[in-house]
Amino acid sequence: MHEIIRLEQVSYTYEDGRDALRDLSVCLHSGEKVAVLGENGAGKSTFFLLCNGVLSPTRGQVFLEGAPVTRKRQSLTALRRKVGFVFQDPDVQLLAGTVEEEISFGPLNLGWDTDTVCHAVEQSITNLHLEAFRTRAPQYLSGGEKKRVSIADVLAMSPALILLDEPASSLDPLNTQLLEQNLALLESQGIALLISTHDVDFAWRWADRVLLFHAGTLVADTTPDAVFSDPDLLALCGLTQPTLYSVSRILGLSQPVRTLDELAQQYKK
């Protein structure tokens, strides 16, 4: 795994003097699946905005593949190509008249030639199964369809890391399942994924690393098992144990299971 983005002693203070993040040092690598947990106001969204260059640190430094990120256009363009951001509310992100125009917006802004843009758009549409929506206005799609378009937006720019802020928010069960299938597709392409979520069951079954924030501080950067086995840490951050984690403990399993299939396999043994 190679380093994509690194934050060193980064702090961010809002204009009213309120500290959103304090002394954050963290490194994100290729191929990782990272869940970002914490209460509302813990600093998760500010962290994402710093990673994507929307915000600049009040103190500290952000690095992209080892090089310091500056406010110069070239530096920010490189950052936003490598680190894509899927907002919680897709209506904030979707601006164009059709889905095809929407997905082409990012590659065109990067200055790619026409053939390269067309190829990127076609590949992104195919990967997210958006062929039937190509000429539709994204503003009139369903919530789940809008989410797929917003992911396709970012995917078209060939990022190394995608940040997803509460991607399952307001989705029904079917669209949540489709979202997880899309995440698996991104993972299969070697894209690192960083997902902010309040869903501890999702974080438990999906992530291989957890970043846990509390009151503007990163209080844990470790495995899901280490986080969910620590009752004091969970209490501090207002979290509960995932359902399957608790069930595994109640049943006395030597290792907690992450999926129902794993639980069934334990009983077969």
Side-chain angles (χ1 to χ4, degrees):
M1 295 192 300
H2 72 269
E3 175 187 305
I4 300 173
I5 193 164
R6 173 165 41 97
L7 282 69
E8 286 192 358
Q9 293 297 302
V10 165
S11 297
Y12 186 81
T13 303
Y14 287 105
E15 292 181 358
D16 62 4
R18 178 171 50 92
D19 287 333
L21 280 178
R22 293 185 299 276
D23 300 322
L24 172 61
S25 294
V26 67
C27 188
L28 303 169
H29 303 87
S30 60
E32 287 191 302
K33 296 189 299 180
V34 185
V36 181
L37 303 179
E39 303 149 297
N40 290 333
K44 305 186 300 297
S45 294
T46 304
F47 168 51
F48 274 34
L49 294 171
L50 288 163
C51 286
N52 186 247
V54 176
L55 297 178
S56 295
T58 306
R59 297 179 300 278
Q61 181 64 58
V62 178
F63 296 85
L64 176 65
E65 297 181 332
V69 175
T70 70
R71 297 312 293 176
K72 292 183 178 179
R73 181 176 179 180
Q74 184 177 8
S75 181
L76 289 175
T77 298
L79 175 64
R80 289 167 185 165
R81 178 186 173 182
K82 288 284 186 178
V83 182
F85 192 171
V86 178
F87 288 85
Q88 178 178 352
D89 181 0
D91 287 322
V92 174
Q93 189 171 340
L94 304 177
L95 303 172
T98 69
V99 167
E100 189 171 42
E101 291 171 352
E102 177 67 40
I103 298 171
S104 67
F105 183 79
L108 285 171
N109 274 351
L110 293 175
W112 293 357
D113 62 73
T114 302
D115 288 343
T116 303
V117 170
C118 289
H119 176 74
V121 171
E122 289 300 321
Q123 190 170 41
S124 196
I125 285 175
T126 300
N127 284 337
L128 275 299
H129 305 290
L130 293 167
E131 293 89 346
F133 304 96
R134 182 187 298 272
T135 60
R136 297 270 300 277
Q139 294 81 3
Y140 299 111
L141 300 179
S142 71
E145 291 160 354
K146 287 180 180 179
K147 186 68 70 175
R148 283 158 58 196
V149 175
S150 63
I151 294 173
D153 269 0
V154 172
L155 185 59
M157 293 186 285
S158 301
L161 167 66
I162 297 181
L163 317 173
L164 298 103
D165 189 7
E166 292 286 345
S169 174
S170 75
L171 295 184
D172 59 35
L174 176 59
N175 277 298
T176 299
Q177 184 179 10
L178 291 173
L179 171 66
E180 293 199 31
Q181 292 173 4
N182 291 329
L183 295 178
L185 168 69
L186 300 176
E187 180 193 351
S188 72
Q189 297 183 357
I191 298 171
L193 301 172
L194 188 72
I195 296 182
S196 171
T197 182
H198 290 288
D199 186 345
V200 293
D201 292 313
F202 167 77
W204 170 245
R205 69 175 176 269
W206 177 81
D208 48 37
R209 179 182 175 190
V210 171
L211 302 180
L212 181 55
F213 286 84
H214 174 67
T217 302
L218 181 64
V219 295
D221 178 1
T222 185
T223 65
D225 190 62
V227 168
F228 293 120
S229 63
D230 187 334
D232 293 333
L233 187 61
L234 295 178
L236 173 69
C237 299
L239 298 176
T240 58
Q241 287 185 334
T243 302
L244 284 177
Y245 190 97
S246 299
V247 168
S248 299
R249 292 309 187 202
I250 292 170
L251 296 176
L253 301 180
S254 58
Q255 293 293 329
V257 298
R258 294 199 178 201
T259 66
L260 289 173
D261 287 343
E262 288 182 14
L263 184 60
Q265 289 296 325
Q266 289 286 339
Y267 274 98
K268 286 181 181 179
K269 294 178 181 179

